[in-house]
Amino acid sequence: MEEKRSNLFPSMVMFLLSLILMLGSSHANDGIEYGNNVGESELQTYLVFVAKPDAMVSAQSEDLESYYQTFLPVDISDNGEERMVHAYRNVVSGFAAKLTAEEVKAMEQKDGFLSARPQKLLQVHTTHSPRFLGLQHSFAFWSFSSVWESSSYGKGVIIGVLDTGISPDHPSFDDTGMSPPPAKWKGKCEFNGTLCNNKLIGARNLVAKDKNQPPLDVEGHGTHTASTAAGNFVNGANVYGNANGTAVGMAPLAHLAIYKVCSPSGCADADILAAMDAAVDDGVDVLSLSLGGDSSPFYDDNIALGAFGAIQKGIFVSCSAGNSGPGHKTLSNDAPWILTVGASTMDRNLRARVRLGDGQTFLGESIFQQVVTPAFRPLIAAGNASEPSIYCGSGSLEGVSVEGKIVLCQRGGKIARIDKGKEVKRAGGVGMILMNDKPDGYSTLADVHVLPSSHVAYADGRAIRAYINTQNPTAEIKFEGTIIGLPDAPTVTSFSSRGPSLPSPGILKPDIIGPGVNILAAWPVSVENNTNTTATFNIISGTSMSCPHLSGIAALLKSAHPDWSPAAIKSAMITTAYTSSRRGKPILDENHHPADLLATGAGHVYPIKASDPGLVYDLQPEDYIPYFCGLKYKDREISFIVQRQVKCSEVSSIPEAQLNYPSFSIIFGVQTQTYSRVVTNVGPANSTYTVKITPPPGVNVTVNPGNIVFSKNSQKATYNVTFSRNNGEQRTQEFAQGNIIWSSGKYVVRSPILVRLSDD
């Protein structure tokens, strides 16, 4: 992860994931010659896609592995290491192996070979959030019966978390109140002794280079995400006394299955695929991946490939959108069968107020909540806008008179936020004001700083810098503790990646936003160096944090509606998302402007509504094949995804916007476009819905029919939507947005509309 996510442990947040793709061939008696005496230094891990023979469609894993072995030149390398790394049988057809480029080239002659590519590298992208999300009796700004009660707290559902492992002895993973694993569970625990239990029912290490080690989390990221999704209740959770309360995951009675796919050196997607493959066999219901990389065509995106294999088995997949915002086209994990989750704030602030000598005050954030004495100290700025020292990197304050002063530093420069404070402290400073860079606007973060600090907005930082140019500037940092009830919450944070999707701009992405800023959850060690407790917590930020929130909510919906498909669960979240802040105004972005659909997707998750949505837009895995053909994918490329032979010449292809998705993303070329949608009644048997349209500026939208009448549950109905350009209406922006709402009086089912109006 980058600087914007968390800077307590930069190594954790700078994770790289390896994406490993390649192919395989056979042995010498097939007429293929391989080099001998291959040195380990020449070997590289490849992911090899092959076609299964018809007789092996339902083969046992040992039969498939024997078949895969026929593609290898030798079984063992010169140093005695096995060439085969992983053999897949569920989410993709193929294997990962250590090969040379020459061996891969020779494999192309082997019958059954499909494709191969060398590995890529990707990035690895709560005391209050359950209340803010409306999962408890008294919460946020709603008054409904508890979602936890209606979903049995996620009882019986298994969430598979792919991450850096887990700290199994943390009290968040205590199994008090937990039922035994369901009978379908087939997984295993690779920890010694009794560290696994009815909460932590499985833990496996799939890191190929480290398979013999237990799946222990040495980074913190995996422990944090797992406890966010399904941690048990832990009273008195806090960091430095802040954000105090009962820490609990979104689905506290759901089971956790942990798959370690990341090491400090990175996360190989061959290992990620192995974990997804194992999770299918193990019997998980939800997969949570706070991982991602650059957006790619779906046949070239291993997380998308594995996720498609998972949904074919009925498994819901939730992934982080990425932390590369606020620019457009920065998404990860944007396949339409994945729930793509952006990050937003909650109504909680760990306040650190900056007061200047002239009386100006500015509200910032910090986990460090200690008093600076005496109150006012001399204030200086680190460098100027043209100097690297403005970022307070290591050694940048050498020769600067910092002793006893508060230093204004700027965010960015590829320097972790906490490392900036370390430099100020090393140089003798007594405090730091961290101002945003311009793209981050008003999005601030609370961190475990090493000295009194306050993170302030860009505009506030500019005002502070202007004051520093006056005579004898001074400042104080005053800590005010945990503040709850901020009226503008939620807002979209600056780092949250934005759409549109590059491989499929006709699908609106991200799908949704959820809490991802200043999230308190379990951590392997005490950030306060308190060795007298095992209840250790940390506050970090990222779409890595918003993803497990949605994974846990998906588990709640799965528990309440075990017959719903992954697409139905996703639809329930999307069509019930809300778009207003606590004060009733539109959700804002990092610049305090109304956030657009490319930042929010459908809006902020609303669990109580999602559990009873009225209507859903359902999809089955085979429904994606006409969509793939409409994307102009080659037959071979589609076969990578669906794991069977496809001929688009025999399929009626569809445009992207025709996929039965709960939202619309329209790109105008043709002046008039018509698409259909199928809705399924999951509410009362006898229901009547009436349409209400808010057309995007510059666009005419008509829906036919305007009323839908249901007479039974699970009944389906089709409607058509026509979009046409309104050239007489003035437009000033490339994108416009609106929505279609089906209302029954009890239910409001909203589908957002994004339209690209540019003429290029």
Side-chain angles (χ1 to χ4, degrees), residues 92-116:
V92 293
S93 175
F95 57 93
K98 294 184 177 181
L99 303 163
T100 67
E102 292 76 15
E103 290 170 342
V104 169
K105 183 66 176 177
M107 282 184 179
E108 295 178 9
Q109 303 174 42
K110 177 69 177 178
D111 289 342
F113 161 79
L114 292 177
S115 179

Side-chain angles (χ1 to χ4, degrees), residues 415-437:
I415 301 164
R417 297 184 299 275
I418 287 177
D419 288 345
K420 297 172 189 288
K422 288 180 179 178
E423 172 62 12
V424 172
K425 186 175 182 179
R426 182 205 62 76
V430 295
M432 176 181 68
I433 301 171
L434 177 63
M435 66 173 283
N436 269 344
D437 52 4

Side-chain angles (χ1 to χ4, degrees), residues 388-405:
S389 59
I390 191 174
Y391 298 116
C392 297
S394 178
S396 65
L397 298 181
E398 289 283 358
V400 180
S401 177
V402 177
E403 189 74 31
K405 298 176 182 178

